[in-house]
Amino acid sequence: MRLAIYPGSFDPVTNGHLDVIKRAAKLFDRVIVAVAHNEQKQGLFSTEERVSLLNATAGQTANVEVMEFNGLLVEFAAAQGACAVIRGLRAISDFEFEFQMALMNRKLDASIETLFLMPKEDYTYLSSRIVKEIARLGGGIESFVPEPVRAALGEKFAAERRISAKV
Ligand code: ADP
């Protein structure tokens, strides 16, 4: 049983993440999408909301499971019995940070390999941050995120607009 962990913020999950998850699910018997819970880093969506959006999308693939984790990634991966950590590489700009993280994780636990997967070219410019920016400004995001995420972003920003109209 070969298990891989795909960790990230997923705030929220985009079609780029889903592309990477599908590729990983073909290579491994089981994939755990691990949502990092970080008290210091408040996102737009709560950890529960991110997990729920992932369950509604990535979680529909038979060998993909969604979990939340906090603390050291290598410790979580070892506790689950994973042999690999998956990360997505979009462009050279991702490389330096990812390379540093991968080597640090190897120092912490040499038994876990980091594997980089490239998404379909159409998704190389996609990030959660840019999708949130477009949605906040009222732009169309249907080709960047799955439907449950589009709906959730719509609700989030409609709520924000209602609050700022009241202030
Ligand atoms: P983090 O905060 O850990 O970078 P993200 O949710 O932004 O979390 O990303 C998780 C992983 O998915 C990272 O390896 C990131 O490079 C990758 N990723 C994000 N967006 C894309 C995309 N459009 N295509 C491929 N990989 C992506």
Side-chain angles (χ1 to χ4, degrees), residues 4 9 12 25 45 51-52 69 78 122 127 141 145-146 154 166:
S9 312
F45 290 97
V51 166
S52 143
F69 82 103
D122 305 32
S127 70
I141 50 165
V145 292
K166 271 190 204 154

PDB file of all heavy atoms in Angstrom, residues 4 9 12 25 45 51-52 69 78 122 127 141 145-146 154 166:
ATOM      1  N   ALA A   4       0.567   8.580  -0.285  1.00  0.00           N
ATOM      2  CA  ALA A   4       1.202   9.904  -0.409  1.00  0.00           C
ATOM      3  C   ALA A   4       0.341  10.942   0.282  1.00  0.00           C
ATOM      4  O   ALA A   4      -0.883  10.837   0.326  1.00  0.00           O
ATOM      5  CB  ALA A   4       1.361  10.275  -1.876  1.00  0.00           C
ATOM      6  N   SER A   9      -2.444  24.744   1.988  1.00  0.00           N
ATOM      7  CA  SER A   9      -3.434  25.580   2.670  1.00  0.00           C
ATOM      8  C   SER A   9      -4.822  25.343   2.058  1.00  0.00           C
ATOM      9  O   SER A   9      -5.826  25.373   2.763  1.00  0.00           O
ATOM     10  CB  SER A   9      -3.086  27.062   2.520  1.00  0.00           C
ATOM     11  OG  SER A   9      -1.742  27.285   2.817  1.00  0.00           O
ATOM     12  N   PRO A  12      -9.093  28.733  -1.220  1.00  0.00           N
ATOM     13  CA  PRO A  12      -9.699  27.407  -1.278  1.00  0.00           C
ATOM     14  C   PRO A  12      -9.027  26.549  -2.368  1.00  0.00           C
ATOM     15  O   PRO A  12      -8.152  27.026  -3.085  1.00  0.00           O
ATOM     16  CB  PRO A  12     -11.135  27.747  -1.726  1.00  0.00           C
ATOM     17  CG  PRO A  12     -10.924  28.903  -2.679  1.00  0.00           C
ATOM     18  CD  PRO A  12      -9.729  29.667  -2.166  1.00  0.00           C
ATOM     19  N   ALA A  25      -3.284  10.505  -7.538  1.00  0.00           N
ATOM     20  CA  ALA A  25      -4.165   9.356  -7.272  1.00  0.00           C
ATOM     21  C   ALA A  25      -3.914   8.220  -8.257  1.00  0.00           C
ATOM     22  O   ALA A  25      -4.213   7.060  -7.955  1.00  0.00           O
ATOM     23  CB  ALA A  25      -5.625   9.803  -7.327  1.00  0.00           C
ATOM     24  N   PHE A  45     -11.109  31.150   4.291  1.00  0.00           N
ATOM     25  CA  PHE A  45     -11.969  30.052   4.752  1.00  0.00           C
ATOM     26  C   PHE A  45     -11.374  29.422   6.011  1.00  0.00           C
ATOM     27  O   PHE A  45     -10.148  29.330   6.136  1.00  0.00           O
ATOM     28  CB  PHE A  45     -12.094  28.981   3.660  1.00  0.00           C
ATOM     29  CG  PHE A  45     -12.888  29.426   2.465  1.00  0.00           C
ATOM     30  CD1 PHE A  45     -12.251  29.913   1.325  1.00  0.00           C
ATOM     31  CD2 PHE A  45     -14.281  29.374   2.474  1.00  0.00           C
ATOM     32  CE1 PHE A  45     -12.990  30.330   0.223  1.00  0.00           C
ATOM     33  CE2 PHE A  45     -15.022  29.791   1.373  1.00  0.00           C
ATOM     34  CZ  PHE A  45     -14.376  30.272   0.249  1.00  0.00           C
ATOM     35  N   VAL A  51     -11.718  21.914   4.371  1.00  0.00           N
ATOM     36  CA  VAL A  51     -11.845  20.452   4.354  1.00  0.00           C
ATOM     37  C   VAL A  51     -13.150  20.074   3.666  1.00  0.00           C
ATOM     38  O   VAL A  51     -13.186  19.172   2.818  1.00  0.00           O
ATOM     39  CB  VAL A  51     -11.782  19.884   5.800  1.00  0.00           C
ATOM     40  CG1 VAL A  51     -12.236  18.436   5.844  1.00  0.00           C
ATOM     41  CG2 VAL A  51     -10.375  20.024   6.367  1.00  0.00           C
ATOM     42  N   SER A  52     -14.211  20.791   3.994  1.00  0.00           N
ATOM     43  CA  SER A  52     -15.514  20.452   3.430  1.00  0.00           C
ATOM     44  C   SER A  52     -15.542  20.688   1.915  1.00  0.00           C
ATOM     45  O   SER A  52     -16.088  19.869   1.157  1.00  0.00           O
ATOM     46  CB  SER A  52     -16.569  21.224   4.217  1.00  0.00           C
ATOM     47  OG  SER A  52     -17.579  21.654   3.414  1.00  0.00           O
ATOM     48  N   PHE A  69      -4.353  18.783   9.455  1.00  0.00           N
ATOM     49  CA  PHE A  69      -3.214  18.481  10.322  1.00  0.00           C
ATOM     50  C   PHE A  69      -2.606  19.765  10.844  1.00  0.00           C
ATOM     51  O   PHE A  69      -2.765  20.829  10.254  1.00  0.00           O
ATOM     52  CB  PHE A  69      -2.154  17.636   9.584  1.00  0.00           C
ATOM     53  CG  PHE A  69      -1.211  18.429   8.721  1.00  0.00           C
ATOM     54  CD1 PHE A  69       0.088  18.705   9.151  1.00  0.00           C
ATOM     55  CD2 PHE A  69      -1.611  18.918   7.484  1.00  0.00           C
ATOM     56  CE1 PHE A  69       0.961  19.455   8.351  1.00  0.00           C
ATOM     57  CE2 PHE A  69      -0.758  19.655   6.683  1.00  0.00           C
ATOM     58  CZ  PHE A  69       0.531  19.920   7.117  1.00  0.00           C
ATOM     59  N   ALA A  78       4.645  10.522   8.652  1.00  0.00           N
ATOM     60  CA  ALA A  78       5.129   9.263   9.245  1.00  0.00           C
ATOM     61  C   ALA A  78       4.016   8.581  10.043  1.00  0.00           C
ATOM     62  O   ALA A  78       3.838   7.358   9.959  1.00  0.00           O
ATOM     63  CB  ALA A  78       6.341   9.541  10.136  1.00  0.00           C
ATOM     64  N   ASP A 122      -2.730  24.845 -18.630  1.00  0.00           N
ATOM     65  CA  ASP A 122      -3.810  25.816 -18.396  1.00  0.00           C
ATOM     66  C   ASP A 122      -3.887  26.274 -16.944  1.00  0.00           C
ATOM     67  O   ASP A 122      -4.494  27.295 -16.647  1.00  0.00           O
ATOM     68  CB  ASP A 122      -5.183  25.203 -18.705  1.00  0.00           C
ATOM     69  CG  ASP A 122      -5.276  24.630 -20.091  1.00  0.00           C
ATOM     70  OD1 ASP A 122      -4.246  24.149 -20.593  1.00  0.00           O
ATOM     71  OD2 ASP A 122      -6.375  24.657 -20.657  1.00  0.00           O
ATOM     72  N   SER A 127      -3.664  30.356  -8.775  1.00  0.00           N
ATOM     73  CA  SER A 127      -3.342  30.209  -7.349  1.00  0.00           C
ATOM     74  C   SER A 127      -4.593  30.579  -6.563  1.00  0.00           C
ATOM     75  O   SER A 127      -5.451  31.322  -7.059  1.00  0.00           O
ATOM     76  CB  SER A 127      -2.191  31.127  -6.952  1.00  0.00           C
ATOM     77  OG  SER A 127      -2.611  32.465  -6.977  1.00  0.00           O
ATOM     78  N   ILE A 141     -15.058  33.353 -12.040  1.00  0.00           N
ATOM     79  CA  ILE A 141     -14.002  32.405 -11.647  1.00  0.00           C
ATOM     80  C   ILE A 141     -14.372  30.971 -11.996  1.00  0.00           C
ATOM     81  O   ILE A 141     -13.692  30.038 -11.586  1.00  0.00           O
ATOM     82  CB  ILE A 141     -13.688  32.514 -10.135  1.00  0.00           C
ATOM     83  CG1 ILE A 141     -14.988  32.447  -9.321  1.00  0.00           C
ATOM     84  CG2 ILE A 141     -12.901  33.769  -9.811  1.00  0.00           C
ATOM     85  CD1 ILE A 141     -14.765  32.184  -7.859  1.00  0.00           C
ATOM     86  N   VAL A 145     -12.119  27.271 -10.678  1.00  0.00           N
ATOM     87  CA  VAL A 145     -12.449  26.489  -9.466  1.00  0.00           C
ATOM     88  C   VAL A 145     -13.678  25.614  -9.723  1.00  0.00           C
ATOM     89  O   VAL A 145     -14.495  25.933 -10.579  1.00  0.00           O
ATOM     90  CB  VAL A 145     -12.746  27.412  -8.247  1.00  0.00           C
ATOM     91  CG1 VAL A 145     -11.506  28.149  -7.780  1.00  0.00           C
ATOM     92  CG2 VAL A 145     -13.867  28.389  -8.534  1.00  0.00           C
ATOM     93  N   PRO A 146     -13.819  24.505  -8.963  1.00  0.00           N
ATOM     94  CA  PRO A 146     -15.028  23.699  -9.118  1.00  0.00           C
ATOM     95  C   PRO A 146     -16.252  24.447  -8.574  1.00  0.00           C
ATOM     96  O   PRO A 146     -16.107  25.374  -7.772  1.00  0.00           O
ATOM     97  CB  PRO A 146     -14.712  22.451  -8.284  1.00  0.00           C
ATOM     98  CG  PRO A 146     -13.694  22.890  -7.309  1.00  0.00           C
ATOM     99  CD  PRO A 146     -12.899  23.975  -7.957  1.00  0.00           C
ATOM    100  N   GLY A 154     -18.666  33.130  -3.714  1.00  0.00           N
ATOM    101  CA  GLY A 154     -19.752  34.087  -3.956  1.00  0.00           C
ATOM    102  C   GLY A 154     -20.414  34.474  -2.650  1.00  0.00           C
ATOM    103  O   GLY A 154     -20.624  35.660  -2.367  1.00  0.00           O
ATOM    104  N   LYS A 166     -23.120  47.945   5.986  1.00  0.00           N
ATOM    105  CA  LYS A 166     -23.700  48.318   7.290  1.00  0.00           C
ATOM    106  C   LYS A 166     -22.817  49.288   8.048  1.00  0.00           C
ATOM    107  O   LYS A 166     -23.292  50.099   8.819  1.00  0.00           O
ATOM    108  CB  LYS A 166     -23.873  47.046   8.145  1.00  0.00           C
ATOM    109  CG  LYS A 166     -25.242  46.394   7.915  1.00  0.00           C
ATOM    110  CD  LYS A 166     -25.441  45.315   8.955  1.00  0.00           C
ATOM    111  CE  LYS A 166     -26.438  44.276   8.475  1.00  0.00           C
ATOM    112  NZ  LYS A 166     -26.228  42.993   9.104  1.00  0.00           N
TER     113      LYS A 166
END
